[in-house]
Amino acid sequence: MRPSGRKLAQMRPVSIETGVVKHAEGSCLIKMGDTHVLCTASVEEKTPPFLKGTGLGWVTAEYGMLPRATNTRNRREAAAGRQQGRTIEIQRLIGRALRAGVDRVALGEKQIVIDCDVIQADGGTRCAAITGGWVALRLATQKMLAARTILTDPIMDHVAAVSCGIYGGQPVLDLDYLEDSAAGTDGNFILTGAGRLVEVQMSAEGATFSRAEMDNLLTLAEAGIAELVAAQRAAVA
Amino acid sequence: MRPSGRKLAQMRPVSIETGVVKHAEGSCLIKMGDTHVLCTASVEEKTPPFLKGTGLGWVTAEYGMLPRATNTRNRREAAAGRQQGRTIEIQRLIGRALRAGVDRVALGEKQIVIDCDVIQADGGTRCAAITGGWVALRLATQKMLAARTILTDPIMDHVAAVSCGIYGGQPVLDLDYLEDSAAGTDGNFILTGAGRLVEVQMSAEGATFSRAEMDNLLTLAEAGIAELVAAQRAAVA
Amino acid sequence: MRPSGRKLAQMRPVSIETGVVKHAEGSCLIKMGDTHVLCTASVEEKTPPFLKGTGLGWVTAEYGMLPRATNTRNRREAAAGRQQGRTIEIQRLIGRALRAGVDRVALGEKQIVIDCDVIQADGGTRCAAITGGWVALRLATQKMLAARTILTDPIMDHVAAVSCGIYGGQPVLDLDYLEDSAAGTDGNFILTGAGRLVEVQMSAEGATFSRAEMDNLLTLAEAGIAELVAAQRAAVA
Amino acid sequence: MRPSGRKLAQMRPVSIETGVVKHAEGSCLIKMGDTHVLCTASVEEKTPPFLKGTGLGWVTAEYGMLPRATNTRNRREAAAGRQQGRTIEIQRLIGRALRAGVDRVALGEKQIVIDCDVIQADGGTRCAAITGGWVALRLATQKMLAARTILTDPIMDHVAAVSCGIYGGQPVLDLDYLEDSAAGTDGNFILTGAGRLVEVQMSAEGATFSRAEMDNLLTLAEAGIAELVAAQRAAVA
Amino acid sequence: MRPSGRKLAQMRPVSIETGVVKHAEGSCLIKMGDTHVLCTASVEEKTPPFLKGTGLGWVTAEYGMLPRATNTRNRREAAAGRQQGRTIEIQRLIGRALRAGVDRVALGEKQIVIDCDVIQADGGTRCAAITGGWVALRLATQKMLAARTILTDPIMDHVAAVSCGIYGGQPVLDLDYLEDSAAGTDGNFILTGAGRLVEVQMSAEGATFSRAEMDNLLTLAEAGIAELVAAQRAAVA
Amino acid sequence: MRPSGRKLAQMRPVSIETGVVKHAEGSCLIKMGDTHVLCTASVEEKTPPFLKGTGLGWVTAEYGMLPRATNTRNRREAAAGRQQGRTIEIQRLIGRALRAGVDRVALGEKQIVIDCDVIQADGGTRCAAITGGWVALRLATQKMLAARTILTDPIMDHVAAVSCGIYGGQPVLDLDYLEDSAAGTDGNFILTGAGRLVEVQMSAEGATFSRAEMDNLLTLAEAGIAELVAAQRAAVA
């Protein structure tokens, strides 16, 4: 019934290749089916001004999409002179999600910038960015620990994300672009490795929904996240 | 226990004054305690380009905050030359929420722009903007029906929003600024008059959360929304 | 003969409500007929860079108009990414006018920012902004004197503004929108409480004018300003 | 008593050289002492959108200052990415002033753009720009009449401008930079060849002023304008 | 003597992987050593306005660098709100170079946009972008010919680019980042498959140069280009 | 055969008038036929941040074109809010070229900004800007030496530029606008007084070229540069 032939609770194949950019402190190319996102972590010795003198670190994210990551070419945001609302919304979400898994005291007054650039898009780019962004972040903190520029591990747990939605009247896991465009309701679920909730964003894109439907999607998401966390674990081992 | 002395499930006083801007097709000043938002609806005869020829209408929103709506003055976005990420995120949410209650076929190829400008802020401005924005929208469509520029009522149901969060370990309804700043987890809940869910945004601002906690907040929200819908009903009567 | 039925030398009803924004050091909502402007004063502990070390304070103003303050919706300047020429011209005028009534040595190295936001427009918004802006400024300096953050009163005199023009061949006081659109010549007159001139801006909008006509308008303005100063005095008492 | 040794009512030497840019329909280099402004007129076959179908023409102006026209280098506005408030205020004034001397019905649906670029500044650049801009405009309309692209002369009268101020307690004509910086009150006076007023802008830059002082400055200005109109007449003969 | 141990006239290993972005009409990932550039070609049915009605097509390019393509993170141009001068200079060069190999009459009124995004940088990114951009362009035109949306092949010849410079007093081919930073003179040479010159840009970065030195570099470049053209030929076969 | 009647190797008349802007440390108006560029040099006591503490000085350039320097009016870049790609490319070239003739150790931690503003354009504006910019730079350094703010002359040699191209199948020197528009190949050649090469930019604008053709143009350029250097020498004597 799904365009891809997947079962309702079946994820797309996930792969995470690390060390893809030699300059970055951490990097990976995450593929969730045909959605490919390049994630890098850059460690900076200073935090944003509002944290100066607090002893706390910061993790932030930026998101971009190459102009031809999509079926029709999108105007390059650098050329347009401003980031679209969608871009800004997504990168704020990525940063907020990743910070939820970080002990900012342990990080100290440093900033880690996670850049997530979509090379090819087929739905679920923000979720892939969070899942891959966590891997880049984890690799960078491992490197910092090895170099003893930090002494306590600031990573408290995995953070991963998956989208679910109601497609053709059925709850389905890990929407691709065709499903995403047609779903009446969809949501993004961000969880920790321990299964705690970090962020839930459910939205009626054409059809309002009930508490029961939300519950069903969340149950699907929990299973998907477990699979993503396993992939993260393998990647950073 | 709450800074304001309210009970856990107690809303702030809500008032909605309509007809506050003589030029607008619909307008109201909504007050949720010390949060005051001016909402206007502007009917335009043409839709955005991507809808041209589809027969569908559009509802969109813009959000702003006067520089001194807050405790310390914020830089005016018009002077800065760009809207902040937070502004863009909020106005996208308002537009999406209000569209969920509109029959865009009945509206036809027209656009209604809802402007929500915060005069004074004390937490929950985006929720007040949605609740008040719906009133402005409702008044504008009543006017259109009366003028017979549309023949079928495009308003399918009320849409209202409230924030809830976990404050001092307790689930509380309708956070004010002091609570919002201190809450480990909070969420915005947007529901219809019939109690269907339009959008749920829960976020760990410092502490991850469980499914049970999310459920508790949602139950609180349902009660709050009922009160807001009653206030909307009285305002547009 | 005037669209509103007013006499040639008759002002619109003026009301000034103070304390309308709880966060601001000074605030008022001024109404000149259907022109409604919200004015706030924000005290900042530092001056612009060019005054650093001079011992002099600064008063500046920003002006905005809510998108639906007017008969047809104006594009939000924050969304457009730049302030219009008209906005910039007006806010420079407001700042310059208010500074003429301030002893900047007594103020010391502080800055007071006056924000004037038009809620509803019906002509004469810049004049209302100056008259109301002065009230916000006066309230803020009273608060500073009471808190002993300044020791000498920096307010030297009232500053108020009114527009006059030649409408239907007759000199009229306090133009509303219909008159303003049709006037061949109009001007803005800014005076102190003592009747000294602060700024005169007369402009031929379609018809050049004579010295005698300018004199007549100035005489009208003097009477109008006296009324405005009385309203200011009552508001800040 | 004046830094330049001039008498109170003495203008700086004025010269207007025409035909200085071969591509423009009209051009001149106006020098008022050490203030040098290059003015060009460009005729465009279409008006701004708001005039489409009205049969009316438009005259508008843009103003710029080369980075090193002043004693210390100013940042290039094109590099900064926005025009300063002062620039916008000045170019709106120039356009408004020149339109006051034009019969927009006779011009028909064409636009003439007057560019005024300050090569060297020593006070009074906006006045020089208006006086020189009129010459460029006049030359362009002569060319249009000769080419019979318009049949009726749209120029109704000369428009010229001069600044006056109170310097050292005395009313002085045609302020240079040193005087302008020190004047307590100054004003720009724009008049027609027939001596009618087009625009008066008087401003208290440190000291408020009386009606009598304004009158004195206006009398000085009338004499100065007569001299400028004679120079214009000689230039376009 | 070269940091990489290469001989003076030795290129870095070149690889060109095609079909890397499923949505694009043509795409490749070109690697010249550690410089990796993703190139896509997007076919658009309409040309820029200045070509409307001429029957001529257009090829243009945009260039970007992911923030962490370099050793220290660069600010994202989309976030900064403007493209850097270097970016603009490079993308104009790429477009100009590729157009030199295209018969724009054969292309007809279509536009092909070549996006070149640097994933990892180690010197010579603009040359890699041209060489890889040509491959994406060639693949797109092959697809158009196959689909019969064009009937005549618009590709007249290969276009490829390489940098050369004087490093340590010796002429060297295909500079990497270390060499590029230290070279006194360097140049970019763009040639066709037939060995005709398309663009030569030689620049004294610290040391002026002689005609003989320029000749030597050009001879090196001719050899390098032959190697690149062979790699292009293999990639598009 | 040339539109102007010039011989193949004949330059346009060159004139360089110095001291044209009283405020600048160095200035000239260079005319190459109908191309007129105003060049000023501004000495600033501090360098850009990246040079702080290095003891090295900096020379940079900005380029602009008055809106009506060309046959049809160009939009003012300050009004458009961004510099065009062409402008950025040119000003980077001018700065790079002039730095090649400067001993940045002798200059010390100062910056000299060369502003080149085109008053009237007829082809070759970037070359005129470099040749005239060098004169402004030379005058400014002479003034610094005289004032003993620097003790060693930082000017190592003349820098001048000329364009050549293949027009009507023939190599021609110093292209004017008509030739530039029609040339299949053209180039800009920047040389020192001693005849060393500073920058060569040859570009196929419609027709690729051979090494022999490039050689011929370079030979022409050498002769033209000698003439320009003589004019520079006369101007600064």
Side-chain angles (χ1 to χ4, degrees), chain C residues 34 54 67 84 93 97 101 131 137 157 159 181 206 211:
Chain C
D34 278 343
T54 61
Q84 297 179 318
L93 173 67
T131 307
L137 173 63
D157 199 350
V159 174
S181 312
R211 287 180 75 152

Side-chain angles (χ1 to χ4, degrees), chain C residues 61-162:
Chain C
E62 289 190 3
Y63 171 93
M65 199 181 255
L66 296 192
R68 199 55 197 282
T70 46
N71 193 38
T72 50
R73 184 177 183 273
N74 287 296
R75 190 169 179 207
R76 189 177 289 268
E77 289 181 331
R82 62 164 73 193
Q83 293 179 299
Q84 297 179 318
R86 178 185 172 278
T87 297
I88 290 169
E89 194 173 288
I90 291 175
Q91 67 192 12
R92 284 165 58 90
L93 173 67
I94 301 170
R96 211 160 55 222
L98 294 178
R99 279 194 298 278
V102 170
D103 176 347
R104 288 165 54 208
V105 174
L107 181 55
E109 284 199 24
K110 294 174 196 298
Q111 176 169 257
I112 305 181
V113 182
I114 307 298
D115 284 290
C116 303
D117 287 273
V118 180
I119 303 295
Q120 188 176 275
D122 186 34
T125 63
R126 79 189 70 188
C127 290
I130 290 166
T131 307
W134 184 88
V135 170
L137 173 63
R138 166 77 289 189
L139 294 171
T141 53
Q142 284 176 346
K143 199 169 180 176
M144 293 164 86
L145 285 165
R148 301 188 63 77
T149 58
I150 52 173
L151 302 178
T152 310
D153 189 351
I155 300 297
M156 302 187 301
D157 199 350
H158 288 248
V159 174
V162 75

Side-chain angles (χ1 to χ4, degrees), chain A residues 41-60:
Chain A
S42 298
V43 179
E44 300 180 347
E45 286 308 306
K46 62 176 189 183
T47 51
F50 67 90
L51 288 178
K52 209 173 169 180
T54 62
L56 296 171
W58 193 245
V59 174
T60 190

Side-chain angles (χ1 to χ4, degrees), chain F residues 77-220:
Chain F
E77 289 181 331
R82 61 164 72 195
Q83 292 178 301
Q84 297 180 319
R86 177 185 172 278
T87 297
I88 290 170
E89 196 173 287
I90 291 176
Q91 67 192 12
R92 285 166 57 89
L93 173 67
I94 301 170
R96 213 160 54 223
L98 293 178
R99 281 194 297 279
V102 169
D103 176 348
R104 287 166 55 211
V105 174
L107 181 55
E109 284 198 24
K110 295 174 196 298
Q111 175 168 258
I112 304 181
V113 183
I114 307 298
D115 284 290
C116 303
D117 287 272
V118 179
I119 303 294
Q120 187 175 279
D122 186 32
T125 63
R126 78 189 70 187
C127 291
I130 290 167
T131 306
W134 185 88
V135 170
L137 173 63
R138 168 76 288 190
L139 294 170
T141 54
Q142 283 175 347
K143 198 167 181 180
M144 293 164 86
L145 286 165
R148 300 188 63 78
T149 60
I150 52 174
L151 302 179
T152 312
D153 189 352
I155 300 297
M156 302 188 300
D157 199 351
H158 288 248
V159 174
V162 76
S163 71
C164 303
I166 298 176
Y167 174 78
Q170 301 282 347
V172 299
L173 177 63
D174 187 24
L175 305 175
D176 62 25
Y177 178 73
L178 285 177
E179 293 166 334
D180 191 29
S181 312
T185 294
D186 64 33
N188 296 299
F189 299 87
I190 311 177
L191 280 81
T192 65
R196 298 276 296 172
L197 295 162
V198 169
E199 185 130 354
V200 171
Q201 291 196 333
M202 288 222 29
S203 186
E205 309 263 359
T208 56
F209 53 99
S210 65
R211 288 180 75 152
E213 287 169 320
M214 187 165 84
D215 257 10
N216 288 342
L217 295 188
L218 184 44
T219 301
L220 273 182

Side-chain angles (χ1 to χ4, degrees), chain F residues 12-17 28-33 35-37 231 235:
Chain F
R12 292 178 284 185
V14 179
S15 83
I16 304 176
E17 180 189 358
C28 74
L29 174 63
I30 183 169
K31 299 186 179 176
M32 296 182 68
T35 289
H36 303 175
V37 185

Side-chain angles (χ1 to χ4, degrees), chain E residues 144-200:
Chain E
M144 293 164 85
L145 286 165
R148 302 186 63 77
T149 57
I150 51 175
L151 302 178
T152 311
D153 189 352
I155 300 297
M156 302 188 301
D157 199 350
H158 289 248
V159 173
V162 75
S163 71
C164 302
I166 297 176
Y167 174 79
Q170 300 283 348
V172 299
L173 177 62
D174 188 24
L175 305 176
D176 61 26
Y177 177 73
L178 286 177
E179 293 166 334
D180 191 29
S181 312
T185 293
D186 64 33
N188 296 298
F189 299 87
I190 311 177
L191 280 80
T192 65
R196 299 277 296 172
L197 295 162
V198 169
E199 184 130 354
V200 171

